[in-house]
């Protein structure tokens, strides 16, 4: 699965990804140091995704947000949005 963490046109943290999840996402947790996002659903379903390189500005903004906008896009050149979810976000940091 290819994904990119970015700011959308409304200045929200968004995760753009290109493959459908096998469940409805209910929450997300981002580990900034490791570069992974965990997306969880009901019944302990979980998908761990490695992030593409994102710029430092976006990573700095992640800690200020309590929500993540998930946007599944087509794999074509236009990357047309197919579905979106707004879910609670937590940020993991190693001590």
């Amino acid at each position: 699965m290819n994904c990119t963490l970015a700011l959308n046109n409304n200045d929200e943290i968004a995760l753009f990804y290109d493959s459908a999840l096998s469940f409805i996402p209910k929450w997300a947790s981002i580990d900034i140091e490791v570069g992974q996002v965990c997306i969880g659903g009901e019944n302990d379903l979980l998908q761990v995704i490695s992030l593409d390189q994102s710029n430092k500005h976006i990573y700095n903004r992640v800690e200020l947000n309590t929500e993540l906008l998930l946007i599944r896009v087509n794999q074509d050149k236009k990357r047309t949005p197919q579905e979106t979810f707004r879910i609670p976000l937590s940020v993991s940091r190693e001590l």
Side-chain angles (χ1 to χ4, degrees):
M1 174 183 300
N2 294 318
C3 69
T4 301
L5 191 64
L7 295 174
N8 70 2
N9 291 338
N10 295 328
D11 203 37
E12 300 169 300
I13 297 293
L15 180 71
F16 295 87
Y17 61 102
D18 64 2
S19 298
L21 299 171
S22 60
F23 56 89
I24 296 174
K26 299 291 183 186
W27 58 268
S29 176
I30 294 178
D31 187 320
I32 294 171
E33 282 87 16
V34 176
Q36 290 182 332
V37 61
C38 294
I39 300 171
E42 293 180 351
N43 302 322
D44 297 327
L45 294 173
L46 184 69
Q47 172 96 30
V48 178
I49 302 168
S50 293
L51 296 171
D52 290 344
Q53 293 292 334
S54 295
N55 70 43
K56 188 120 176 106
H57 172 71
I58 293 170
Y59 278 145
N60 290 338
R61 286 283 312 278
V62 167
E63 293 184 322
L64 303 175
N65 287 269
T66 58
E67 288 186 325
L68 178 65
L69 186 60
L70 296 177
I71 304 172
R72 183 171 61 89
V73 294
N74 271 346
Q75 294 181 0
D76 61 13
K77 290 181 183 179
K78 292 184 181 181
R79 297 182 51 99
T80 307
Q82 296 301 298
E83 66 182 346
T84 61
F85 300 96
R86 187 177 303 276
I87 57 176
L89 172 67
S90 64
V91 177
S92 300
R93 282 215 170 246
E94 293 186 24
L95 298 175

